[in-house]
Amino acid sequence: MSAAGEAAATPQSVTLTLNGMEVKAKPGQTILEVARSVGVDIPTLCHDPRLEPYGACRMCLVEVEGARGPMAACGTQVREGMVVHTHTEKIVKLRRFVLELLLTNHPLDCPVCEAAGDCRLQDYAYEYLVDMVPWGWRPPVVGEPGDHPNIAHYGARCILCGRCVRICREVMSIGCWGYLNRGYESEVDTPYRLPLTEVGCVSCGQCVSTCPVGAITTQRSLLGARAWQTSKVVSTCGYCADGCRLVLHSYRDKVVKVSADVEKGLNEGNLCVKGRFGLGYVHAEDRLTRPLLRNSQGELVPTTWEDALTTLGERVKTLTSTAGGSAVAALCGTHVTNEAGYLVQKLLRTVLGSSNVTAEDEGEWSAYEALWAHGLGVVSDGVRRGDVRTAQALLLVGADITESDPVLALEVIRAIRTGRPVIVIDPMKTTVASKAPLHLAVRAGQEAAALRAMLRHVVEAGLKDEGFLAAETADPEAFLASLADLDVAGEAAQAGVDLEAVKRAATMFAQAASALVILGPGVLQGSRAKEVAGAALDLALVTGNAGRPGTGVYFLRSGANSRGLFDMGVRPGRLPQGSLKDEGVLEAAETGWGACLRDLPEGFGLADLIPAIERGTLKALYVVGADPVLAMPDYERTLAALKRLELLVVQDAFLTDTAELAHVVLPAAVTAEDEGTFTNAEGLVQRLRAAVPAPGEAKQDWAIVCRLAQVLGADWVYSQPEDVLREISEVAPAYRGLSYRELETEGQEVAAERSGSKLRFFPLGRMSAAGAADFPETDDDHPLLLVTGPVFIHHGTGERSRRAPGLSKLLAEPSLEINRADASAWGLVQGDRVRVTARDGAALEVAVTLSGRLPAGMVFLGRFSSQVPVARLLKGDVAAAAVRLEKV
Amino acid sequence: MSGSRPALVRPAPLRQRVLQPEVEIRVCLGTGGVAAGSREVLRAFEEGLAKQGVFAVVRPREGGADGRCACVTGTGCQGLCAMDPLVEVHLRRSGNATEVTYGQVTPAMVEEIISRHILGGEVIDKWIVKTDEHATEYDPFFERQEKLALRHVGVIDPEDIDDYLEADGYQALYKVLSSLTPDEVIDEITRSGLRGRGGAGFPTGLKWRFAADAKSPDGVKYFICNGDEGDPGAFMDCSVLEGDPHAVFEGMAIGAYAIGATTGYLYVRAEYPLAIRRLKIAMKAAEERGLIGDNIMGSDFSFHLKLKEGAGAFVCGEETALMQSIEGNRGMPRLRPPFPAESGLWGRPTNINNVETLAVVPWIILNGAEAFAARGYEKSKGTKVFALAGKVKRTGLAEVPMGMTLREVIFGIGGGMKGNKAFKAVQMGGPSGGCLPESLLDLPVDYETINQTGAIVGSGGMIVIDQDNCIVDTARYFLSFTQQESCGKCPPCRIGTKRMLEILERICAGEGTLADLDFLENIASQVKLGSLCGLGTTAPNPVLTAIKYFRDEFEEHVVEKKCRAGVCPALTTYLIDVVKCTGCTACARVCPVQAIRGERKEPHVIDQELCIKCGACFEKCRFDAVRRS
């Protein structure tokens, strides 16, 4: 009621006069925002829309009638009837004065400055006719840029706008940059002038992105080119599932720089280290440029496309004619485009007659699929970035989000900085956990117990949303009754967390006006995934946090197109049209494709891939942009199984560990060379555009699949990826209406399911016993629990990130992270090499890093290495193993 | 909200002053007094009196002693700092009380004061500063003052809360809590016409109104006292904090009640260690008595006070920088709006007032807005404390009604020029203010009037300079101060003041041109217009007023390459008049660089190559043989 009253009191728009024009604006907008929206350019040096108004540079001063003096347009909100003059003689003179002051001590090294052509000081000096400074130039000497692999710091060029200082603090919540000295002697530098790598820098380059001059830039390289020399295309990042919008700068067929528009895209100009500095793999020396065929001596030798495809076609035909289409399977990597993924599954289903099509991250979808029937479409599918941004409380479960999704993580950091409750359930003291108001450091694998404890406390303390339960959920009484034998203290004890902390977490979550759960890779694998996701779903339902802004369950996904491939039917049980179990879907697909699908043998998924090869039922595997050797658990077994295949076809940009075993290797384009679309974790479909041509004879994935289909007898006539999306938009209900034209300027959201039926609880009690057994038990012989997970500098199993110098120079190989107490118990110091041995004797040698984020008894090893494949130590579908260490 | 108020407990001293000592010695223990040696003097009195064996030396509230008692107490600044250490001697004999103030007392003089005056009853005239018996040359200093903010300073023992309570301490807060609504408090302050004494002169009642009306997201508001007094030569707040800390607490508590704050921060510069020590003592005592803390005097008003020491940055006197500093950030002013009243400390509505402003608040509450408004001038009501410094005879702290003319302050209270040199200018308002010439001395001290001159009333610093001071050098000095204290956030202040300083240095070095003067004025006006905070927008004031009122002296520097005051070394030459020189060698002995040579009883000569123009010889020569040109 009071909100309505206030809304009535707040005008919907204000009218002001700007340089004589009457302008309408929204209340709360600044003069600067309004001016820019109507094309009046007020100069700024210290302003960045990502940051709080700062008002330091004085370039945006404008005259406001009636004000005592000039006002900073960046920080002054418009008022009804305000009369603003942005370019009076007095103001222009003042701006020129400021520029003269700044230029006096600015190096005149524009010819060699990285920022030349993209420098505000340069622009404004020209615009405001600053051709001399009355007190004479005093350019300082430009020093060395420091030895960070990606970020160069030229302090002499700094104009002290403070943007780097603020972006590192306000957006990143780190603080690598700060002020030194005072007044005229002020400088911006790292604390104690330490190297960036020693002050907590995550190499995101946000400082580079915001520096208005050439004081913080990317390191110069031989590939460098200036703003006016490069071509720019807008594309989408191919690493994680955040879907960051990128601007790729290319020069002479090389990608020389990546930036992001502050005004557009979910990332609003923010990028992580991979997005900004991780594209070096595009021009890696070991790019595949020609198809390879294994010859009779067992060597992979270059050949022509014609030869490779002909040979491939013949071998597939021979194989399927005897063993049937279902002897073939396809496995896609998570950065395969919607178009290519769609064609892969269509190839398998309609040309070869196989349902064995899946993607590398299938395991992480098990809980989502299992809970689908409970109305997850409403609770999860419609959850967008804006919901994370506006949620009044956030609960992160198994989500080491700064490592897995560094840009989405900025929303969580923003929530913490603005004082919203952020609760982290994770055995590790993740970066977010170390900043969040509440961290429930559960025992490994006991996330669900903590959620059940919270759930039970919500009910006991009368914090449940009665209205929501009655109106939106099916049979809440039965569910609540099923909680009767749950005991908050017992569940908290099982989780290994403090009872009071759990209660506080439950209260914070339940009392927030809107609360959202983020489930991460740490809990999305194995049979317990269903249990954790179920408990999260129930918690959201009991507290009424579903189906409205700022609520729901957000599933983190592991790759750029994880969601898209699921939507495209790159799953044995799904079609682009929907679930295979749905008769209507099947009919629609058969009509749409003109193929008979109902007789196809039931397909098998990722977990069955290796057993099927071992059984001999699977004889050929088509791998597109994936590296199962490193991605799947049980390295030796995977290796042996792949070697048994009669035909292994790998389509990739590099000779991956899997490709080395292949019979045919098809050279593919990478993201920066590809055309198509990605659908990010939250269902935003965005364009991918080629900035540079693929090297040699490498081709875009979709085109290779088409060629292959044609060789196998299909009459496909897609001349460009746009044709494929047109077909997708016709057959996939969620993608209806999408076209490249629609996607030209910005992404479009896929339609979210809005179920009319009531939401169903997930029965908690049934799963609780099974889930607990999911985690490997440690014992005296193997006393440490090895876990793996995302590492922000790399992605997945690292085929691309390892080859990007901007990333590999920061972290070339993983090291085994170990708790300090454990390290001293094992007599280990930083840098020692150890042999890590699993129960079955599989072992790896790796250096150790002492870490403050791991609990005692847990060690962590990243997954991105081919030299130290953690898969060697893992069994089953949980990314954990009991291990012992020996110093070597 | 007409619910019955809880019965409040009226604050009162716990320990009564149980005896009227026959001898009472009050020694000024303000920073000025301490620097002049008053601690030693105090100790000398204690020891000297004890040694006599005539009196029992006691603390006034420890009482219980029979027979003849003497007590020695320290007070805050007694005002006439030029005569520090000041010692008041009160004698009560056969129903007759006498009071004498001695100046520039040394431990060596104490014995004589004890034996001749205290024991012998003979007042020692040559050391007297003030007495009831007859007029002294210092009387004008005392007589023309009216002490409201300083009402207890130099009178009570600031380390004894009972002294304050006995002097009506915390009665204003009691009155507020027991009978006034927050609105009524704000109305009272508004009607009094009180304006911020920190420099800007913003109406205090209005400021409180803004903060009271502001909505806080979680109901939290803050009340800050700005004790980061940093102007060179200003020590008004220092004296109040040292001499009457409880008055500041009481003013803060009243203000906090008025705006709805329950937490206060008292920000004091760390360079005031004595003030900090006394504030800590006072804060502990006030908390123990329930005058600060939860449910003050049994009311439902709670007020918690935190002391925050500044880290030495002048700019932290700027309110937004001060709040940054409290938050633990680098002290840099931030953009306004939003004003602190809307979003201040930790993003909550915040009111910030200066020490002197708050010290006078309890007086206004007890004596009424009208009593305050009856004093003063046009739009500047009440009294204002000024710190008189420089070349004036009676330097010190004086509180006078607003509207008194500058001449009355400087020549009346200050007693005119030291050594009867010619008055040149008075720098009003420290480095943010300006220097005013003789011709403007008849202006009343009033915010609006002084602002029109280009100077400001400011926080109350008045530095008087005479014929021996160079106006260019003075402007250079003040600018170098602000230039060094610039935080560096905005270019006009960070770089503009540096460029201005360079020009002034050039002029002082004899390398200036006439064009430089226009250039200087031009830069100064841009810096004023374009700077982010008050530091930058006022930094050019000393330079602009100096050029405005003393352009001839600037022109002399650039055209004739002459510094009439003989201050600018490059423009000054010292020569020895061979006729007048007696060869006494005094100048040669005092020269720090052995630039003066000559045989005894023969005329001496200054080696111009070696001379560093320090003027030592000029000061030393008794025969006017050293000439400065």
Side-chain angles (χ1 to χ4, degrees), chain A residues 54 56 58 93-94 97 102 104-105 135 138 159-160 169 179 181-184 186, chain B residues 313 329-330 483-487 489-491 494 498-499 502 519 526 529-532:
Chain A
Y54 195 55
R58 317 313 283 161
K93 189 178 166 201
L94 186 59
F97 174 68
L102 291 174
T104 306
N105 300 101
W135 32 74
R138 301 166 199 192
I159 58 166
L160 292 164
R169 191 170 155 172
Y179 294 96
N181 303 326
R182 186 159 76 184
Y184 192 71
S186 297
Chain B
N329 298 324
R330 178 180 160 103
Q483 191 269 325
Q484 276 173 25
E485 293 293 344
S486 166
C487 76
K489 183 167 175 175
C490 71
R494 178 179 78 236
K498 177 74 173 176
R499 298 285 93 92
E502 285 167 356
F519 191 24
Q526 296 291 318
L529 185 68
S531 290
L532 172 65

Short mmCIF file of all heavy atoms in Angstrom, two decimals, chain A residues 54 56 58 93-94 97 102 104-105 135 138 159-160 169 179 181-184 186, chain B residues 313 329-330 483-487 489-491 494 498-499 502 519 526 529-532:
data_model
loop_
_atom_site.label_atom_id
_atom_site.label_comp_id
_atom_site.label_asym_id
_atom_site.label_seq_id
_atom_site.Cartn_x
_atom_site.Cartn_y
_atom_site.Cartn_z
N TYR A 54 31.78 9.68 -9.92
CA TYR A 54 32.99 10.02 -9.16
C TYR A 54 33.27 11.52 -9.20
O TYR A 54 33.70 12.10 -8.22
CB TYR A 54 34.15 9.24 -9.76
CG TYR A 54 35.39 9.15 -8.93
CD1 TYR A 54 35.35 8.66 -7.63
CD2 TYR A 54 36.62 9.54 -9.45
CE1 TYR A 54 36.51 8.55 -6.87
CE2 TYR A 54 37.79 9.43 -8.71
CZ TYR A 54 37.72 8.94 -7.42
OH TYR A 54 38.87 8.83 -6.67
N ALA A 56 35.53 13.34 -10.60
CA ALA A 56 36.89 13.83 -10.39
C ALA A 56 37.43 14.62 -11.58
O ALA A 56 38.15 15.58 -11.39
CB ALA A 56 37.83 12.66 -10.10
N ARG A 58 36.20 16.57 -13.91
CA ARG A 58 35.66 17.92 -14.13
C ARG A 58 35.40 18.21 -15.60
O ARG A 58 35.12 19.35 -15.96
CB ARG A 58 36.59 19.00 -13.55
CG ARG A 58 37.16 18.71 -12.18
CD ARG A 58 36.17 18.23 -11.17
NE ARG A 58 35.32 19.25 -10.60
CZ ARG A 58 34.17 19.01 -9.99
NH1 ARG A 58 33.74 17.77 -9.87
NH2 ARG A 58 33.44 19.97 -9.50
N LYS A 93 35.79 26.78 -21.82
CA LYS A 93 37.08 27.31 -21.38
C LYS A 93 37.62 26.47 -20.22
O LYS A 93 38.81 26.17 -20.15
CB LYS A 93 36.88 28.76 -20.94
CG LYS A 93 38.16 29.50 -20.65
CD LYS A 93 37.89 30.95 -20.27
CE LYS A 93 39.15 31.56 -19.67
NZ LYS A 93 38.90 32.73 -18.86
N LEU A 94 36.70 26.10 -19.33
CA LEU A 94 37.10 25.29 -18.18
C LEU A 94 37.60 23.92 -18.62
O LEU A 94 38.60 23.41 -18.13
CB LEU A 94 35.92 25.16 -17.22
CG LEU A 94 36.18 24.48 -15.89
CD1 LEU A 94 37.25 25.22 -15.11
CD2 LEU A 94 34.90 24.42 -15.08
N PHE A 97 40.93 24.21 -19.99
CA PHE A 97 41.89 24.39 -18.87
C PHE A 97 42.26 23.03 -18.26
O PHE A 97 43.43 22.73 -18.05
CB PHE A 97 41.24 25.30 -17.81
CG PHE A 97 42.03 25.47 -16.54
CD1 PHE A 97 43.24 26.16 -16.54
CD2 PHE A 97 41.57 24.94 -15.34
CE1 PHE A 97 43.96 26.33 -15.36
CE2 PHE A 97 42.28 25.10 -14.17
CZ PHE A 97 43.49 25.79 -14.18
N LEU A 102 46.06 18.48 -17.69
CA LEU A 102 46.37 17.06 -17.80
C LEU A 102 47.46 16.80 -18.84
O LEU A 102 48.34 15.96 -18.64
CB LEU A 102 45.11 16.27 -18.18
CG LEU A 102 44.03 16.18 -17.11
CD1 LEU A 102 42.79 15.51 -17.67
CD2 LEU A 102 44.55 15.40 -15.90
N THR A 104 49.87 18.73 -19.78
CA THR A 104 51.19 19.23 -19.41
C THR A 104 52.11 18.08 -18.99
O THR A 104 53.25 18.00 -19.41
CB THR A 104 51.06 20.20 -18.22
OG1 THR A 104 50.13 21.18 -18.58
CG2 THR A 104 52.40 20.82 -17.90
N ASN A 105 51.55 17.20 -18.17
CA ASN A 105 52.38 16.13 -17.64
C ASN A 105 52.10 14.79 -18.32
O ASN A 105 52.34 13.74 -17.76
CB ASN A 105 52.13 15.97 -16.15
CG ASN A 105 52.47 17.22 -15.40
OD1 ASN A 105 51.60 17.99 -15.05
ND2 ASN A 105 53.75 17.46 -15.20
N TRP A 135 52.01 26.72 -19.97
CA TRP A 135 53.19 26.63 -19.11
C TRP A 135 54.23 25.67 -19.67
O TRP A 135 55.17 25.32 -19.00
CB TRP A 135 52.78 26.20 -17.70
CG TRP A 135 51.59 25.29 -17.75
CD1 TRP A 135 51.60 24.01 -18.14
CD2 TRP A 135 50.25 25.64 -17.45
NE1 TRP A 135 50.33 23.52 -18.12
CE2 TRP A 135 49.48 24.50 -17.70
CE3 TRP A 135 49.63 26.81 -17.01
CZ2 TRP A 135 48.09 24.48 -17.51
CZ3 TRP A 135 48.26 26.78 -16.83
CH2 TRP A 135 47.50 25.63 -17.08
N ARG A 138 55.61 19.24 -20.30
CA ARG A 138 56.61 18.60 -19.43
C ARG A 138 56.37 17.10 -19.45
O ARG A 138 56.02 16.50 -18.44
CB ARG A 138 56.48 19.10 -18.01
CG ARG A 138 56.65 20.60 -17.94
CD ARG A 138 56.19 21.08 -16.61
NE ARG A 138 55.92 22.50 -16.65
CZ ARG A 138 55.72 23.23 -15.57
NH1 ARG A 138 55.78 22.66 -14.39
NH2 ARG A 138 55.47 24.51 -15.68
N ILE A 159 46.18 9.68 -15.85
CA ILE A 159 45.58 10.99 -15.59
C ILE A 159 44.81 10.98 -14.26
O ILE A 159 44.04 11.89 -13.97
CB ILE A 159 44.66 11.44 -16.74
CG1 ILE A 159 43.55 10.40 -16.97
CG2 ILE A 159 45.47 11.67 -18.01
CD1 ILE A 159 42.43 10.91 -17.85
N LEU A 160 44.97 9.94 -13.49
CA LEU A 160 44.39 9.83 -12.14
C LEU A 160 42.87 9.94 -12.12
O LEU A 160 42.29 10.51 -11.20
CB LEU A 160 45.00 10.90 -11.22
CG LEU A 160 46.47 10.68 -10.89
CD1 LEU A 160 47.06 11.95 -10.31
CD2 LEU A 160 46.65 9.54 -9.91
N ARG A 169 37.84 -2.36 -7.37
CA ARG A 169 37.22 -2.43 -6.05
C ARG A 169 35.70 -2.58 -6.13
O ARG A 169 35.12 -3.48 -5.53
CB ARG A 169 37.58 -1.14 -5.31
CG ARG A 169 37.22 -1.23 -3.87
CD ARG A 169 37.80 -0.06 -3.12
NE ARG A 169 36.99 0.16 -1.94
CZ ARG A 169 37.28 0.99 -0.99
NH1 ARG A 169 38.37 1.70 -1.05
NH2 ARG A 169 36.50 1.14 0.04
N TYR A 179 45.75 4.46 -4.76
CA TYR A 179 46.50 5.69 -4.89
C TYR A 179 47.74 5.66 -4.01
O TYR A 179 47.69 5.12 -2.90
CB TYR A 179 45.67 6.89 -4.46
CG TYR A 179 44.50 7.16 -5.36
CD1 TYR A 179 43.24 6.68 -5.07
CD2 TYR A 179 44.67 7.91 -6.53
CE1 TYR A 179 42.16 6.94 -5.90
CE2 TYR A 179 43.60 8.17 -7.36
CZ TYR A 179 42.35 7.68 -7.04
OH TYR A 179 41.29 7.94 -7.86
N ASN A 181 50.76 8.40 -2.53
CA ASN A 181 51.09 9.82 -2.35
C ASN A 181 49.85 10.70 -2.40
O ASN A 181 48.73 10.21 -2.43
CB ASN A 181 52.13 10.29 -3.37
CG ASN A 181 53.38 9.44 -3.27
OD1 ASN A 181 53.74 8.99 -2.20
ND2 ASN A 181 54.02 9.19 -4.40
N ARG A 182 50.09 11.98 -2.47
CA ARG A 182 48.98 12.92 -2.33
C ARG A 182 49.15 14.08 -3.30
O ARG A 182 50.25 14.41 -3.71
CB ARG A 182 48.98 13.44 -0.89
CG ARG A 182 47.83 14.28 -0.52
CD ARG A 182 47.65 14.32 0.98
NE ARG A 182 48.63 15.19 1.62
CZ ARG A 182 48.72 15.33 2.95
NH1 ARG A 182 47.93 14.66 3.74
NH2 ARG A 182 49.63 16.13 3.46
N GLY A 183 48.04 14.70 -3.63
CA GLY A 183 48.07 15.92 -4.43
C GLY A 183 48.83 15.73 -5.73
O GLY A 183 48.65 14.74 -6.45
N TYR A 184 49.68 16.68 -6.02
CA TYR A 184 50.42 16.69 -7.27
C TYR A 184 51.29 15.44 -7.43
O TYR A 184 51.61 15.01 -8.52
CB TYR A 184 51.30 17.95 -7.32
CG TYR A 184 51.90 18.24 -8.67
CD1 TYR A 184 51.10 18.68 -9.71
CD2 TYR A 184 53.26 18.09 -8.89
CE1 TYR A 184 51.65 18.96 -10.96
CE2 TYR A 184 53.82 18.37 -10.13
CZ TYR A 184 53.00 18.79 -11.16
OH TYR A 184 53.54 19.07 -12.39
N SER A 186 50.40 12.50 -6.50
CA SER A 186 49.56 11.30 -6.52
C SER A 186 49.91 10.39 -7.69
O SER A 186 50.26 10.86 -8.77
CB SER A 186 48.08 11.67 -6.66
OG SER A 186 47.65 12.40 -5.55
N ALA B 313 45.65 14.52 7.28
CA ALA B 313 45.35 15.16 6.01
C ALA B 313 44.41 16.34 6.25
O ALA B 313 43.34 16.19 6.81
CB ALA B 313 44.71 14.17 5.05
N ASN B 329 38.63 4.67 4.27
CA ASN B 329 39.13 4.88 2.92
C ASN B 329 40.12 6.04 2.90
O ASN B 329 40.24 6.78 3.87
CB ASN B 329 37.97 5.22 1.98
CG ASN B 329 36.98 4.08 1.89
OD1 ASN B 329 37.38 2.92 1.93
ND2 ASN B 329 35.71 4.41 1.81
N ARG B 330 40.77 6.18 1.76
CA ARG B 330 41.64 7.33 1.56
C ARG B 330 40.78 8.58 1.63
O ARG B 330 39.69 8.64 1.05
CB ARG B 330 42.29 7.19 0.19
CG ARG B 330 43.20 8.32 -0.22
CD ARG B 330 43.75 8.00 -1.61
NE ARG B 330 44.23 9.18 -2.28
CZ ARG B 330 45.53 9.49 -2.40
NH1 ARG B 330 46.43 8.70 -1.91
NH2 ARG B 330 45.89 10.58 -3.04
N GLN B 483 48.35 23.53 -1.75
CA GLN B 483 48.87 22.72 -2.85
C GLN B 483 49.38 21.38 -2.33
O GLN B 483 49.13 20.33 -2.90
CB GLN B 483 49.97 23.49 -3.58
CG GLN B 483 50.41 22.89 -4.90
CD GLN B 483 51.55 21.93 -4.72
OE1 GLN B 483 52.42 22.15 -3.87
NE2 GLN B 483 51.57 20.86 -5.49
N GLN B 484 50.06 21.44 -1.18
CA GLN B 484 50.57 20.19 -0.60
C GLN B 484 49.45 19.34 -0.01
O GLN B 484 49.57 18.13 0.08
CB GLN B 484 51.58 20.49 0.51
CG GLN B 484 52.95 20.74 -0.05
CD GLN B 484 53.92 21.20 1.04
OE1 GLN B 484 53.74 20.91 2.21
NE2 GLN B 484 54.92 21.93 0.63
N GLU B 485 48.39 20.01 0.42
CA GLU B 485 47.32 19.27 1.07
C GLU B 485 46.24 18.81 0.10
O GLU B 485 45.28 18.16 0.51
CB GLU B 485 46.70 20.11 2.20
CG GLU B 485 47.65 20.37 3.36
CD GLU B 485 48.00 19.10 4.13
OE1 GLU B 485 47.29 18.08 3.98
OE2 GLU B 485 48.99 19.11 4.88
N SER B 486 46.36 19.17 -1.15
CA SER B 486 45.39 18.70 -2.15
C SER B 486 45.40 17.18 -2.14
O SER B 486 46.45 16.55 -2.07
CB SER B 486 45.81 19.21 -3.54
OG SER B 486 45.09 18.53 -4.54
N CYS B 487 44.20 16.59 -2.23
CA CYS B 487 44.16 15.13 -2.19
C CYS B 487 44.59 14.54 -3.50
O CYS B 487 44.99 13.39 -3.58
CB CYS B 487 42.76 14.65 -1.81
SG CYS B 487 41.57 14.75 -3.15
N LYS B 489 42.51 14.40 -6.25
CA LYS B 489 41.41 13.79 -7.00
C LYS B 489 41.08 14.55 -8.29
O LYS B 489 40.93 13.95 -9.34
CB LYS B 489 40.17 13.69 -6.11
CG LYS B 489 39.00 12.99 -6.79
CD LYS B 489 37.90 12.62 -5.80
CE LYS B 489 36.69 12.04 -6.53
NZ LYS B 489 35.66 11.57 -5.61
N CYS B 490 40.94 15.87 -8.22
CA CYS B 490 40.53 16.58 -9.44
C CYS B 490 41.69 17.41 -9.99
O CYS B 490 42.47 17.97 -9.25
CB CYS B 490 39.30 17.45 -9.17
SG CYS B 490 39.62 18.89 -8.16
N PRO B 491 41.80 17.47 -11.32
CA PRO B 491 42.94 18.17 -11.92
C PRO B 491 43.06 19.64 -11.55
O PRO B 491 44.18 20.11 -11.36
CB PRO B 491 42.71 17.98 -13.43
CG PRO B 491 41.80 16.81 -13.54
CD PRO B 491 40.96 16.79 -12.31
N ARG B 494 44.66 19.60 -8.11
CA ARG B 494 45.92 18.84 -8.09
C ARG B 494 47.01 19.52 -8.90
O ARG B 494 48.13 19.67 -8.44
CB ARG B 494 45.66 17.43 -8.62
CG ARG B 494 46.88 16.56 -8.70
CD ARG B 494 46.54 15.16 -9.21
NE ARG B 494 46.34 15.10 -10.64
CZ ARG B 494 45.24 14.65 -11.24
NH1 ARG B 494 44.22 14.23 -10.51
NH2 ARG B 494 45.15 14.61 -12.55
N LYS B 498 49.46 23.74 -8.40
CA LYS B 498 50.90 23.59 -8.61
C LYS B 498 51.40 24.63 -9.62
O LYS B 498 52.42 25.27 -9.42
CB LYS B 498 51.18 22.16 -9.10
CG LYS B 498 52.62 21.88 -9.44
CD LYS B 498 53.46 21.74 -8.20
CE LYS B 498 54.88 21.28 -8.56
NZ LYS B 498 55.73 21.22 -7.37
N ARG B 499 50.62 24.78 -10.68
CA ARG B 499 51.02 25.77 -11.70
C ARG B 499 51.00 27.18 -11.10
O ARG B 499 51.87 28.00 -11.38
CB ARG B 499 50.09 25.68 -12.91
CG ARG B 499 50.09 24.36 -13.64
CD ARG B 499 51.32 24.15 -14.50
NE ARG B 499 52.39 23.44 -13.79
CZ ARG B 499 52.56 22.11 -13.81
NH1 ARG B 499 51.76 21.35 -14.51
NH2 ARG B 499 53.55 21.55 -13.14
N GLU B 502 54.00 27.65 -8.93
CA GLU B 502 55.21 27.87 -9.72
C GLU B 502 55.35 29.33 -10.13
O GLU B 502 56.44 29.90 -10.11
CB GLU B 502 55.18 26.98 -10.98
CG GLU B 502 55.46 25.52 -10.67
CD GLU B 502 55.14 24.60 -11.84
OE1 GLU B 502 54.62 25.08 -12.88
OE2 GLU B 502 55.39 23.39 -11.71
N PHE B 519 48.04 35.99 -15.79
CA PHE B 519 48.05 34.55 -15.96
C PHE B 519 47.65 33.88 -14.64
O PHE B 519 46.79 32.99 -14.60
CB PHE B 519 49.48 34.16 -16.37
CG PHE B 519 49.63 32.75 -16.84
CD1 PHE B 519 48.56 32.03 -17.35
CD2 PHE B 519 50.89 32.14 -16.79
CE1 PHE B 519 48.73 30.74 -17.80
CE2 PHE B 519 51.06 30.84 -17.23
CZ PHE B 519 49.98 30.14 -17.73
N GLN B 526 40.00 29.78 -12.76
CA GLN B 526 39.60 28.47 -13.29
C GLN B 526 39.65 27.40 -12.19
O GLN B 526 38.78 26.53 -12.12
CB GLN B 526 40.52 28.06 -14.44
CG GLN B 526 40.46 28.96 -15.65
CD GLN B 526 39.14 28.84 -16.38
OE1 GLN B 526 38.61 27.76 -16.55
NE2 GLN B 526 38.57 29.96 -16.78
N LEU B 529 36.67 27.81 -10.07
CA LEU B 529 35.44 27.41 -10.74
C LEU B 529 35.34 25.88 -10.88
O LEU B 529 34.27 25.30 -10.75
CB LEU B 529 35.40 28.05 -12.12
CG LEU B 529 34.14 27.87 -12.96
CD1 LEU B 529 32.98 28.63 -12.34
CD2 LEU B 529 34.38 28.35 -14.39
N GLY B 530 36.48 25.28 -11.16
CA GLY B 530 36.43 23.88 -11.59
C GLY B 530 36.72 22.85 -10.55
O GLY B 530 36.52 21.65 -10.79
N SER B 531 37.18 23.23 -9.37
CA SER B 531 37.59 22.22 -8.41
C SER B 531 36.40 21.49 -7.80
O SER B 531 35.29 22.00 -7.76
CB SER B 531 38.43 22.84 -7.29
OG SER B 531 39.68 23.23 -7.81
N LEU B 532 36.68 20.27 -7.33
CA LEU B 532 35.62 19.41 -6.82
C LEU B 532 35.13 19.82 -5.44
O LEU B 532 33.94 19.81 -5.17
CB LEU B 532 36.13 17.96 -6.78
CG LEU B 532 35.24 16.92 -6.10
CD1 LEU B 532 33.94 16.74 -6.87
CD2 LEU B 532 35.96 15.59 -6.02
#
